[in-house]
Amino acid sequence: YWECPLCKQRMRDDRLQAEVVAALARELLHPARLAALERHQEDSVRKSRKEALKARTALESRLQAIKAEQRAQLRNVAAGIDPQLVKEVVEELQQEERELRQRLRKFDSSDRTSRALVSIQRLRDHADDIGEVLANGEPQHQRRIFTRTVRSVTWLRNEASVELRLTLPEPEQEGG
């Protein structure tokens, strides 16, 4: 028996498994649902990339302005302005430059929406195999699918049913 961690309601394992398999087939493996998820995620990726490009361009413009300000400050020393004042301004500009470069490096890291799109495409490519494993596979293979796609299970008392929160599976780590 499975027991809900919140309300302690119990359900037979085979019924819970049937609920999970039905939800996975309906929400993650159905071709029309996968196509809709993929379209939505592609739109999100495009929007995310567009926003990232705008932000990156703004950061790079500010970085160029900082460099120009630093050069101007160095010319001020030659013009006879107090070197200590120039040094303070240059240090502040260098700190801002380091922060901007750090923010720019974050744009280079892989992005969550792209990973989700890859997960949806992999689900689409392997939906038939996953469905077969869920229907007729070994229990350890079914459990592996469950643990990678089901985030939480909660008993809904008023409806006398379970609520499943699904997640897109992340790619497996190599050698793990």
Side-chain angles (χ1 to χ4, degrees):
Y1 284 92
W2 168 81
E3 185 174 288
C4 177
L6 299 176
C7 69
K8 305 301 182 202
Q9 181 70 31
R10 297 177 79 191
M11 176 186 279
R12 287 184 26 188
D13 287 339
D14 59 340
R15 179 170 172 222
L16 178 62
Q17 183 173 345
E19 294 275 345
V20 170
V21 169
L24 288 173
R26 182 178 62 248
E27 298 297 327
L28 283 182
L29 300 177
H30 191 274
R33 179 71 172 143
L34 279 171
L37 283 171
E38 189 171 10
R39 278 191 310 275
H40 173 74
Q41 204 59 40
E42 285 171 344
D43 289 343
S44 294
V45 166
R46 267 192 303 280
K47 183 179 178 183
S48 173
R49 286 183 180 157
K50 184 178 179 182
E51 289 171 0
L53 181 61
K54 286 171 63 175
R56 182 180 191 93
T57 301
L59 288 175
E60 288 172 346
S61 296
R62 179 63 188 139
L63 201 55
Q64 288 175 350
I66 288 172
K67 285 295 191 186
E69 288 178 45
Q70 287 175 348
R71 287 190 296 273
Q73 290 299 323
L74 294 176
R75 285 191 302 273
N76 286 341
V77 172
I81 298 203
D82 181 15
Q84 187 61 31
L85 291 175
V86 171
K87 180 183 176 196
E88 290 175 14
V89 172
V90 168
E91 286 175 353
E92 289 174 10
L93 290 170
Q94 287 173 339
Q95 177 63 31
E96 185 178 355
E97 179 183 2
R98 282 190 293 275
E99 290 170 2
L100 287 176
R101 289 193 185 283
Q102 185 177 8
R103 288 171 56 191
L104 279 170
R105 278 193 291 277
K106 289 180 183 177
F107 285 112
D108 295 334
S109 63
S110 65
D111 128 80
R112 187 176 176 176
T113 54
S114 295
R115 288 194 315 268
L117 180 58
V118 169
S119 291
I120 292 169
Q121 291 167 341
R122 289 185 58 179
L123 274 174
R124 186 194 62 223
D125 294 344
H126 301 286
D128 294 338
D129 298 332
I130 293 170
E132 181 62 30
V133 169
L134 289 173
N136 304 314
E138 297 290 322
Q140 69 268 22
H141 295 131
Q142 291 173 338
R143 181 163 199 66
R144 189 168 172 201
I145 293 170
F146 295 162
T147 58
R148 293 185 65 206
T149 56
V150 178
R151 183 184 311 157
S152 68
V153 179
T154 307
W155 178 258
L156 301 175
R157 241 183 227 181
N158 296 341
E159 299 174 27
S161 64
V162 292
E163 173 187 68
L164 299 168
R165 295 193 181 221
L166 305 177
T167 186
L168 291 171
E170 291 288 329
E172 290 183 299
Q173 298 297 322
E174 295 300 319

PDB file of all heavy atoms in Angstrom, residues 34 120-129:
ATOM      1  N   LEU A  34       2.432  16.116 -26.396  1.00  0.00           N
ATOM      2  CA  LEU A  34       3.863  16.362 -26.597  1.00  0.00           C
ATOM      3  C   LEU A  34       4.088  17.465 -27.633  1.00  0.00           C
ATOM      4  O   LEU A  34       4.955  18.320 -27.456  1.00  0.00           O
ATOM      5  CB  LEU A  34       4.574  15.081 -27.031  1.00  0.00           C
ATOM      6  CG  LEU A  34       4.933  14.118 -25.912  1.00  0.00           C
ATOM      7  CD1 LEU A  34       5.424  12.796 -26.492  1.00  0.00           C
ATOM      8  CD2 LEU A  34       5.970  14.714 -24.991  1.00  0.00           C
ATOM      9  N   ILE A 120      11.549  17.324 -23.813  1.00  0.00           N
ATOM     10  CA  ILE A 120      10.290  17.069 -24.528  1.00  0.00           C
ATOM     11  C   ILE A 120      10.563  16.327 -25.829  1.00  0.00           C
ATOM     12  O   ILE A 120       9.858  15.375 -26.174  1.00  0.00           O
ATOM     13  CB  ILE A 120       9.546  18.393 -24.791  1.00  0.00           C
ATOM     14  CG1 ILE A 120       9.061  18.988 -23.475  1.00  0.00           C
ATOM     15  CG2 ILE A 120       8.381  18.181 -25.745  1.00  0.00           C
ATOM     16  CD1 ILE A 120       8.562  20.417 -23.595  1.00  0.00           C
ATOM     17  N   GLN A 121      11.592  16.737 -26.558  1.00  0.00           N
ATOM     18  CA  GLN A 121      11.932  16.065 -27.813  1.00  0.00           C
ATOM     19  C   GLN A 121      12.339  14.619 -27.562  1.00  0.00           C
ATOM     20  O   GLN A 121      11.967  13.720 -28.325  1.00  0.00           O
ATOM     21  CB  GLN A 121      13.039  16.830 -28.534  1.00  0.00           C
ATOM     22  CG  GLN A 121      12.563  18.171 -29.070  1.00  0.00           C
ATOM     23  CD  GLN A 121      13.690  19.084 -29.502  1.00  0.00           C
ATOM     24  OE1 GLN A 121      14.841  18.910 -29.118  1.00  0.00           O
ATOM     25  NE2 GLN A 121      13.352  20.101 -30.295  1.00  0.00           N
ATOM     26  N   ARG A 122      13.083  14.381 -26.505  1.00  0.00           N
ATOM     27  CA  ARG A 122      13.464  12.996 -26.167  1.00  0.00           C
ATOM     28  C   ARG A 122      12.254  12.167 -25.783  1.00  0.00           C
ATOM     29  O   ARG A 122      12.148  11.000 -26.148  1.00  0.00           O
ATOM     30  CB  ARG A 122      14.501  12.993 -25.049  1.00  0.00           C
ATOM     31  CG  ARG A 122      15.857  13.493 -25.518  1.00  0.00           C
ATOM     32  CD  ARG A 122      16.878  13.365 -24.462  1.00  0.00           C
ATOM     33  NE  ARG A 122      16.946  11.949 -24.089  1.00  0.00           N
ATOM     34  CZ  ARG A 122      17.755  11.466 -23.187  1.00  0.00           C
ATOM     35  NH1 ARG A 122      18.563  12.248 -22.548  1.00  0.00           N
ATOM     36  NH2 ARG A 122      17.772  10.182 -22.907  1.00  0.00           N
ATOM     37  N   LEU A 123      11.320  12.774 -25.028  1.00  0.00           N
ATOM     38  CA  LEU A 123      10.086  12.062 -24.688  1.00  0.00           C
ATOM     39  C   LEU A 123       9.320  11.700 -25.951  1.00  0.00           C
ATOM     40  O   LEU A 123       8.817  10.585 -26.082  1.00  0.00           O
ATOM     41  CB  LEU A 123       9.199  12.923 -23.789  1.00  0.00           C
ATOM     42  CG  LEU A 123       9.445  12.865 -22.301  1.00  0.00           C
ATOM     43  CD1 LEU A 123       8.572  13.877 -21.583  1.00  0.00           C
ATOM     44  CD2 LEU A 123       9.180  11.474 -21.746  1.00  0.00           C
ATOM     45  N   ARG A 124       9.221  12.655 -26.885  1.00  0.00           N
ATOM     46  CA  ARG A 124       8.511  12.404 -28.139  1.00  0.00           C
ATOM     47  C   ARG A 124       9.168  11.260 -28.904  1.00  0.00           C
ATOM     48  O   ARG A 124       8.494  10.348 -29.387  1.00  0.00           O
ATOM     49  CB  ARG A 124       8.481  13.664 -28.990  1.00  0.00           C
ATOM     50  CG  ARG A 124       7.639  13.509 -30.251  1.00  0.00           C
ATOM     51  CD  ARG A 124       7.873  14.608 -31.252  1.00  0.00           C
ATOM     52  NE  ARG A 124       9.277  14.551 -31.667  1.00  0.00           N
ATOM     53  CZ  ARG A 124      10.061  15.611 -31.813  1.00  0.00           C
ATOM     54  NH1 ARG A 124       9.615  16.802 -31.578  1.00  0.00           N
ATOM     55  NH2 ARG A 124      11.308  15.469 -32.206  1.00  0.00           N
ATOM     56  N   ASP A 125      10.502  11.286 -28.979  1.00  0.00           N
ATOM     57  CA  ASP A 125      11.227  10.258 -29.716  1.00  0.00           C
ATOM     58  C   ASP A 125      11.073   8.871 -29.097  1.00  0.00           C
ATOM     59  O   ASP A 125      11.110   7.869 -29.806  1.00  0.00           O
ATOM     60  CB  ASP A 125      12.720  10.606 -29.801  1.00  0.00           C
ATOM     61  CG  ASP A 125      12.977  11.851 -30.637  1.00  0.00           C
ATOM     62  OD1 ASP A 125      12.059  12.268 -31.396  1.00  0.00           O
ATOM     63  OD2 ASP A 125      14.088  12.417 -30.534  1.00  0.00           O
ATOM     64  N   HIS A 126      10.922   8.816 -27.782  1.00  0.00           N
ATOM     65  CA  HIS A 126      10.887   7.528 -27.090  1.00  0.00           C
ATOM     66  C   HIS A 126       9.543   7.225 -26.439  1.00  0.00           C
ATOM     67  O   HIS A 126       9.451   6.312 -25.623  1.00  0.00           O
ATOM     68  CB  HIS A 126      11.993   7.486 -26.022  1.00  0.00           C
ATOM     69  CG  HIS A 126      13.361   7.675 -26.582  1.00  0.00           C
ATOM     70  ND1 HIS A 126      14.009   6.690 -27.305  1.00  0.00           N
ATOM     71  CD2 HIS A 126      14.199   8.736 -26.573  1.00  0.00           C
ATOM     72  CE1 HIS A 126      15.188   7.140 -27.689  1.00  0.00           C
ATOM     73  NE2 HIS A 126      15.328   8.378 -27.266  1.00  0.00           N
ATOM     74  N   ALA A 127       8.493   7.956 -26.801  1.00  0.00           N
ATOM     75  CA  ALA A 127       7.183   7.781 -26.166  1.00  0.00           C
ATOM     76  C   ALA A 127       6.664   6.358 -26.297  1.00  0.00           C
ATOM     77  O   ALA A 127       6.135   5.796 -25.333  1.00  0.00           O
ATOM     78  CB  ALA A 127       6.174   8.768 -26.744  1.00  0.00           C
ATOM     79  N   ASP A 128       6.817   5.757 -27.471  1.00  0.00           N
ATOM     80  CA  ASP A 128       6.325   4.389 -27.661  1.00  0.00           C
ATOM     81  C   ASP A 128       7.062   3.403 -26.760  1.00  0.00           C
ATOM     82  O   ASP A 128       6.443   2.533 -26.137  1.00  0.00           O
ATOM     83  CB  ASP A 128       6.455   3.956 -29.126  1.00  0.00           C
ATOM     84  CG  ASP A 128       5.537   4.758 -30.041  1.00  0.00           C
ATOM     85  OD1 ASP A 128       4.539   5.314 -29.551  1.00  0.00           O
ATOM     86  OD2 ASP A 128       5.841   4.817 -31.253  1.00  0.00           O
ATOM     87  N   ASP A 129       8.382   3.550 -26.681  1.00  0.00           N
ATOM     88  CA  ASP A 129       9.177   2.649 -25.828  1.00  0.00           C
ATOM     89  C   ASP A 129       8.814   2.833 -24.354  1.00  0.00           C
ATOM     90  O   ASP A 129       8.681   1.847 -23.614  1.00  0.00           O
ATOM     91  CB  ASP A 129      10.676   2.906 -26.010  1.00  0.00           C
ATOM     92  CG  ASP A 129      11.138   2.635 -27.435  1.00  0.00           C
ATOM     93  OD1 ASP A 129      10.510   1.785 -28.098  1.00  0.00           O
ATOM     94  OD2 ASP A 129      12.116   3.269 -27.870  1.00  0.00           O
TER      95      ASP A 129
END
